[in-house]
Amino acid sequence: MLAAVSALDERNSLAFSADGRYIVATSGSSGAGGPTSVSQVIANLLPVVGVDGVLCRMVDPVSVVIWDEHERTLTLARDRMGQADIYFMCGPFGLVFSSELKTLRQEAGGPPDVDPQAISQLFRYGYIPAPLTSYRGIYKLPAGTMRVFHLPDVHGGYHGGEAAGRLTPHWSLKEEAEAQMASREPCGIDRSVERVVASLERAICTARTGSTATLLSGGVDSSLVTALLQRHSEGPVETISVGFDDPGHDESEWAAAVAHLLGARNTRLVMEDANAIRLVERMPRVFCEPYADSSAIPTLLAAEAAGARCSTILTGDGGDELFFGHASYVKSLRNFGLVRHVPLGLRRACGAYAFRSPERARLGGIPALMSEAKSRSLAETYLARVSRWRDPSRALKSANEPVPPFLDAARHPAGGHQGELLLYLDQTNELSEGLMTKSDRAFGAFGVQARSPFLDPGVVSLAWGTPFENKLREGETKVVLKRALERFLPEHHARRPKKGFGAPVARWLNGPLRDWAEDLLDPIAMRNRGILDEQVVSTLWTSFLNGNRKYHTHLWPVLMFQAWDREWNRTNAP
């Protein structure tokens, strides 16, 4: 059992309880004391409060492994907001676990089988949500959960298919959200701003270690993090910004101006076509599991620069998902507010129409209207808005897509404004399984620890306790954060619409990445591999080349899967 602990990556550390009963390993970002101190703190607490007591108190963004010599049990636990991954499987020699999927692949005793069901999730969301992974028989813990293995489990009694049913929450975002919403009291915007600033400052002081920089987009969240870090720094804070040679996507000049106003020292990078080609080819090895958020490409460029400048980088990840920052939230509330008045019979007719060609909704017009009109709930409306493929199983030869967790009302928190359901859905899905994976993998590849002060437990609790009218007011999103930023920047800087960090994928696929894409989407190779439906994919690719550029949202996850599959599973190819 002790040898299995070494399956964590190079950031892990071991600690022992004084009574010799417990061995602890942690992996991930661990704050000012470094991972060793976190492991030892846990080991010191275990004889006093036990495993359950320790996990209830665990607030660091680390995955934890605890061996109990008396009970002969091994406990795996993932942090509350999913900032550190932990995978597990039952291999030929027993239980194997790791913070990286590629480690388990090597221990599988042969190339594992790709799981088409998991790939259907990649095509819908752009990431694979836990507990699934891209391989059958290998699982990832969802955020805030634990899995306890008894010694008989390790020696033949454990069956991988039981994984999802035997996970236990050690912390519940649903319960936290419900408690904070139920106990919050009326609070003016000025008071909310004071609380947010104080809470973020505490989180930043905890997160900064060694040489600390920020990833600055010029948007509200990263600008506020930079402003607060600068306020507590003696010299200029290092900031890194990424722009594009496409004016429609470039914000780097604006970010540089923000850094200048805050007194920070900015490094401005430009994502040129040559960088796009180089980094997209590196993606499969960095992520070791297919990942299809196009912002991972500029994030990798920033990570390269960060590796030579800092040991820790602070991001603004989570600000939108905690404080109602996405325009898609407002559109979903508006659209469902209209759709709910559509008669049920007409909704069913719209659903039948949309079912015949669900992906055409991406092109707008009548198909998009029909797709919106069939929604039966706000969650369904939002699911359609965040889905790349509306019916991803059609792009695969053998995949029945699992029921999306978005639509499981039993998982949704009770109380609060209906818009807060959208925050919850993003925090449990996009944030923990998408954005955190991107930051951890990209910066970790260059030896940099990525931290998001917005995901500090104190900030998360405060966000759920903040009155909704201080997040969305008269159509203005993220009100409390914009007011907070106005303490450091002129008003027009705090309120400037953000373009986002997404890459110009449509232009790339029709330009510098076209040959790369053509090679990966070769119909004969797809048919021989037997996972993708080559006719569906090829038809979509042809439609894109013929001018339907919005289909890049569908093609990018397909290409990311193909690139990953070629990198890691080429021995499986016929």
Side-chain angles (χ1 to χ4, degrees), residues 227-534:
L228 293 173
L229 179 63
Q230 183 63 67
R231 185 156 83 169
H232 291 274
S233 301
E234 295 181 359
V237 166
E238 292 282 350
T239 65
I240 298 173
S241 302
V242 179
F244 297 90
D245 55 7
D246 182 332
H249 289 256
D250 186 40
E251 289 188 305
S252 58
E253 289 188 10
W254 180 266
V258 168
H260 176 74
L261 288 169
L262 295 176
R265 183 168 48 241
N266 182 251
T267 297
R268 180 179 174 228
L269 310 171
V270 177
M271 175 64 72
E272 298 173 339
D273 289 353
N275 278 328
I277 296 170
R278 177 176 61 85
L279 292 172
V280 80
E281 291 176 346
R282 187 169 184 176
M283 275 280 292
R285 183 153 293 277
V286 169
F287 281 80
C288 76
E289 183 167 33
Y291 180 73
D293 184 340
S294 65
S295 67
I297 306 298
T299 301
L300 275 176
L301 187 64
E304 276 187 329
R309 290 169 172 80
C310 62
S311 58
T312 300
I313 193 158
L314 304 185
T315 75
D317 288 343
D320 287 323
E321 293 78 11
L322 287 168
F323 292 96
F324 209 84
H326 289 304
S328 59
Y329 297 155
V330 178
K331 292 176 181 177
S332 295
L333 288 174
R334 179 200 63 197
N335 290 359
F336 183 65
L338 297 173
V339 167
R340 65 191 306 177
H341 298 297
V342 176
L344 181 59
L346 184 54
R347 284 195 213 178
R348 289 173 177 166
C350 291
Y353 176 91
F355 178 78
R356 290 197 293 270
S357 186
E359 309 314 326
R360 287 189 60 80
R362 177 63 62 184
L363 302 180
I366 295 298
L369 181 63
M370 292 293 189
S371 181
E372 289 278 2
K374 71 180 179 63
S375 295
R376 292 162 294 181
S377 66
L378 176 61
E380 187 175 352
T381 296
Y382 188 60
L383 174 63
R385 187 158 293 278
V386 300
S387 295
R388 273 74 165 174
W389 287 76
R390 303 295 177 94
D391 186 2
S393 60
R394 298 195 186 200
L396 296 154
K397 288 189 173 176
S398 60
N400 295 317
E401 186 188 13
V403 176
F406 280 63
L407 304 182
D408 187 352
R411 300 187 186 186
H412 300 166
H417 187 279
Q418 62 174 345
E420 289 173 300
L421 170 61
L422 306 181
L423 299 180
Y424 177 80
L425 292 175
D426 261 5
Q427 288 175 40
T428 52
N429 294 279
E430 174 70 18
L431 190 59
S432 62
E433 304 298 342
L435 294 179
M436 293 301 96
T437 294
K438 176 184 69 177
S439 295
D440 182 62
R441 296 296 181 221
F443 285 101
F446 296 93
V448 179
Q449 177 177 274
R451 297 289 300 272
S452 177
F454 282 102
L455 299 187
D456 178 86
V459 179
V460 172
S461 296
L462 176 67
W464 280 104
T466 298
F468 188 72
E469 60 268 21
N470 290 344
K471 301 173 186 175
L472 177 68
R473 179 176 297 183
E474 298 179 352
E476 182 184 9
T477 59
K478 213 156 45 177
V479 177
V480 65
L481 297 188
K482 291 176 181 176
R483 298 292 190 278
L485 187 57
E486 286 173 8
R487 295 186 173 190
F488 305 94
L489 291 175
E491 181 179 344
H492 71 280
H493 279 74
R495 295 172 178 273
R496 175 181 179 268
K498 189 176 183 296
K499 295 178 182 177
F501 205 42
V505 172
R507 183 182 69 79
W508 283 352
L509 292 181
N510 199 46
L513 295 182
R514 180 164 175 172
D515 290 344
W516 168 81
E518 290 274 13
D519 181 44
L520 290 173
L521 298 181
D522 175 64
I524 296 175
M526 285 191 285
R527 182 172 64 248
N528 290 341
R529 184 70 173 99
I531 295 176
L532 301 183
D533 187 316
E534 69 278 3

